[in-house]
């Protein structure tokens, strides 16, 4: 059954090898002052920085630069960007990079003209935005989060040791997004598989909840199939355009809200990972992969039929020859094998977690879940299993 919903996504997406040509036209919609936001330098190595700067110069734009945005962007960087926006009367924040840079751009966008402490207002109290929003444009170089087409902004407050995600209304989405799969060829394997697992996790967290016969679940199964196939090809040949373009689009549709409509959703794996990230600064998708297998083994009995369906539809397990319990576990084991195939570590200690962190992560994680509501002790059990 399709429950009532409203879907609106205002981001204009330009996809493909020539997509950067569209930047020229997009820039006509904004004034002269552009805050160019990027990470630790990969965009310079791959030549995207030079191309973007030359388009901005040809258009006569005034470029204000803020580079060095961290993977897992920091609130202090948001404040620095907000100051630059105010001082330079910035008309457009142009984020060039992965989810961290784009998330940071959205955070700067809502914080620049916020009269209060924006961390408290937007990432603690989750209030609606009631101040001016600075438009954001995105040029994607690393795929996974779908930040290019959603209102999400995940920010780490180092002082408070909290990594909090916030999904703003679609008015905060990038106004446009430029997606050229070729830009992702240079992403190191570790980051690539982190992005792939982030996509898988977005798909599974929307899938493993709510058991109506719902078109959205069929769509998720199809996207998972395309993602798994394309990842295997891109692992063999990182410059396989077909595979890279499929992965990039799987990521964008994976969390631009279309695969979440009309469904209950889980998101507890993400909640746990965010706090793991606050303590270890690990790559987001790697943390998700390590938590997912013990998490799903902990909850599968509460949604047994859906886990059997997942085993059959996504992994091709011959479920008819097994009990439901065996079939569900076979599906989760296939997931574990795929994580191994991608070369992702399987324990928390490999990403820098120590035993004393586990209760702190469990107590500071936002409690929720899909088939099972997770309390602090449940989360601690999952973390111990993952350790
Ligand atoms: O810093 P630079 O030099 O850009 O290097 C980055 C970074 O080290 C590198 N990279 C990016 N493009 C590259 C490249 N290296 C070589 N060639 C390229 N073309 O990759 C590293 C990771 O980049 P990052 O932006 O941190 O990765 P990702 O896209 O996975 O973003 C992760 C952040 O997004 C949040 C995560 O929590 C994390 O903070 N999320 C945002 C979401 C959203 N907006 O909806 C949802 C997600 O669930 C997630 O929580
Ligand atoms: Zn994610």
């Amino acid at each position: 059954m399709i429950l009532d919903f409203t879907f609106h996504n205002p981001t204009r997406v330009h996809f493909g090898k020539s997509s950067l040509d569209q930047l020229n036209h997009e820039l006509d919609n904004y004034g002269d002052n552009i805050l160019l936001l990027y990470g630790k330098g990969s965009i310079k190595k791959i030549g995207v920085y030079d191309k973007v700067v030359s388009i901005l110069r040809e258009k006569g734009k005034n470029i204000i630069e803020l580079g060095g945005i961290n993977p897992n962007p920091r609130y202090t960087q948001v404040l620095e960007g907000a100051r630059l926006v105010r001082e330079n009367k910035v008309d457009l924040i142009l984020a060039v990079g992965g989810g961290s840079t784009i998330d940071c751009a959205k955070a700067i966008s809502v914080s620049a003209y916020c009269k209060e402490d924006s961390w408290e207002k937007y990432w603690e109290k989750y209030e609606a935005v009631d101040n001016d929003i600075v438009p954001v444009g995105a040029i994607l170089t690393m795929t996974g989060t779908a930040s290019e087409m959603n209102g999400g902004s995940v920010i780490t407050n180092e002082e408070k040791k909290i990594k909090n995600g916030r999904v703003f209304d679609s008015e905060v989405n990038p106004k446009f997004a430029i997606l050229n799969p070729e830009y992702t060829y240079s992403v190191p394997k570790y980051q690539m598989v982190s992005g792939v697992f982030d996509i898988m996790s977005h798909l599974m967290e929307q899938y493993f909840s709510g058991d109506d016969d719902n078109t959205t679940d069929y769509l998720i199964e199809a996207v998972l199939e395309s993602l798994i196939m394309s990842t295997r090809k891109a692992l063999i040949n990182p410059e396989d355009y077909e595979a890279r373009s499929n992965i990039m689009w799987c990521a964008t549709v994976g969390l631009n809200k279309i695969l979440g409509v009309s469904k209950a959703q889980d998101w507890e794996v993400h909640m746990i990972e965010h706090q793991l990230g606050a303590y270890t600064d690990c790559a987001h998708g790697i943390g998700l992969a390590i938590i997912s297998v013990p998490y799903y083994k902990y909850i599968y009995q509460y949604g047994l039929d859906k886990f059997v369906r997942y085993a059959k539809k996504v992994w091709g397990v011959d479920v008819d020859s097994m009990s439901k319990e065996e079939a569900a576990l076979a599906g989760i084991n296939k997931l574990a094998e795929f994580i191994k195939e991608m070369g992702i570590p399987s324990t928390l200690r490999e990403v820098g977690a120590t035993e004393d962190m586990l209760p702190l992560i469990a107590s500071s994680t936002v409690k929720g879940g899909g088939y099972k509501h997770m309390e602090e002790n449940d989360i601690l059990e999952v973390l111990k299993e993952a350790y």
Side-chain angles (χ1 to χ4, degrees):
M1 173 174 45
I2 299 293
L3 302 170
D4 300 7
F5 70 86
T6 300
F7 175 77
H8 171 66
N9 192 318
T11 305
R12 194 165 34 246
V13 176
H14 304 288
F15 193 101
K17 293 182 183 181
S18 62
S19 51
L20 190 61
D21 296 349
Q22 300 301 322
L23 179 60
N24 200 26
H25 307 302
E26 289 290 354
L27 289 172
D28 289 337
N29 299 321
Y30 305 97
D32 283 345
N33 298 327
I34 312 289
L35 176 63
L36 178 60
L37 200 70
Y38 54 93
K40 300 275 185 194
S42 63
I43 67 160
K44 292 190 173 167
K45 280 192 206 136
I46 64 175
V48 173
Y49 173 88
D50 286 342
K51 286 183 191 158
V52 171
V53 166
S54 109
I55 295 170
L56 291 171
R57 289 210 178 113
E58 270 170 36
K59 295 293 275 187
K61 301 292 184 185
N62 172 29
I63 307 171
I64 301 108
E65 279 194 38
L66 180 57
I69 302 303
N70 278 76
N72 301 328
R74 314 288 196 250
Y75 184 57
T76 46
Q77 298 177 314
V78 174
L79 293 179
E80 169 67 0
R83 184 184 63 76
L84 289 172
V85 166
R86 287 190 301 272
E87 281 178 11
N88 296 283
K89 298 191 171 45
V90 162
D91 299 299
L92 172 73
I93 306 171
L94 185 58
V96 188
S100 294
T101 301
I102 303 170
D103 278 12
C104 189
K106 287 181 250 179
I108 294 170
S109 158
V110 298
S111 297
Y113 297 109
C114 177
K115 299 267 186 300
E116 300 147 65
D117 176 325
S118 67
W119 173 265
E120 218 174 82
K121 185 174 168 73
Y122 295 135
W123 285 271
E124 269 179 16
K125 296 185 188 156
Y126 298 99
E127 289 180 19
V129 182
D130 54 7
N131 49 262
D132 285 349
I133 293 169
V134 185
V136 170
I139 300 175
L140 192 65
T141 65
M142 142 100 200
T143 184
T145 65
S147 184
E148 64 276 11
M149 203 182 176
N150 69 30
S153 178
V154 184
I155 302 297
T156 298
N157 189 318
E158 283 182 291
E159 204 184 308
K160 299 191 176 186
K161 262 208 169 333
I162 297 278
K163 178 176 170 181
N164 259 1
R166 164 75 202 260
V167 183
F168 290 104
D169 286 347
S170 59
E171 58 190 355
V172 179
N173 279 30
K175 302 292 176 218
F176 63 89
I178 290 173
L179 276 60
N180 182 343
E182 290 178 325
Y183 296 165
T184 66
Y185 289 170
S186 56
V187 174
K189 185 188 164 207
Y190 189 79
Q191 291 298 341
M192 175 203 147
V193 295
S194 172
V196 165
F197 199 86
D198 192 19
I199 307 167
M200 285 195 94
S201 185
H202 296 159
L203 296 169
M204 292 188 298
E205 299 227 45
Q206 292 170 104
Y207 184 76
F208 285 126
S209 210
D211 284 329
D212 291 333
D213 183 11
N214 189 313
T215 303
T216 301
D217 281 330
Y218 295 93
L219 291 172
I220 294 174
E221 287 160 357
V223 178
L224 275 167
E225 188 184 340
S226 167
L227 177 66
I228 293 162
M229 236 163 51
S230 303
T231 299
R232 288 187 166 134
K233 288 185 189 159
L235 283 171
I236 295 166
N237 175 14
E239 302 202 1
D240 181 330
Y241 184 82
E242 189 173 68
R244 288 292 200 173
S245 59
N246 281 332
I247 294 172
M248 195 171 226
W249 192 232
C250 286
T252 305
V253 296
L255 201 55
N256 71 353
K257 287 201 170 162
I258 196 75
L259 298 185
V261 294
S262 181
K263 281 212 71 228
Q265 300 172 25
D266 186 325
W267 296 114
E268 196 57 20
V269 172
H270 265 67
M271 294 305 106
I272 301 172
E273 192 290 325
H274 284 172
Q275 274 319 93
L276 172 69
Y279 278 85
T280 65
D281 205 22
C282 70
H284 174 60
I286 302 295
L288 293 170
I290 298 170
I291 296 160
S292 287
V293 172
Y295 178 78
Y296 290 127
K297 285 192 172 164
Y298 196 79
I299 67 147
Y300 77 94
Q301 276 151 331
Y302 300 88
L304 194 57
D305 287 339
K306 193 63 165 288
F307 280 89
V308 173
R309 174 175 163 170
Y310 167 79
K312 179 178 175 176
K313 295 278 201 72
V314 177
W315 297 108
V317 172
D318 177 14
V319 299
D320 297 334
S321 62
M322 302 173 182
S323 70
K324 282 187 179 182
E325 172 102 14
E326 285 167 342
L329 278 173
I332 301 171
N333 287 336
K334 287 276 185 193
L335 174 67
E337 281 166 27
F338 186 61
I339 291 171
K340 206 169 167 196
E341 185 183 331
M342 288 193 285
I344 294 179
S346 58
T347 63
L348 292 178
R349 64 185 90 196
E350 288 168 85
V351 293
T354 51
E355 219 164 345
D356 55 315
M357 285 179 188
L358 306 185
L360 300 170
I361 294 170
S363 68
S364 57
T365 293
V366 177
K367 307 331 179 257
Y371 292 122
K372 174 172 171 45
H373 186 88
M374 298 290 282
E375 301 296 345
E376 188 173 329
N377 63 310
D378 299 311
I379 296 170
L380 189 57
E381 286 307 311
V382 170
L383 286 167
K384 282 185 187 162
E385 197 53 42
Y387 184 71

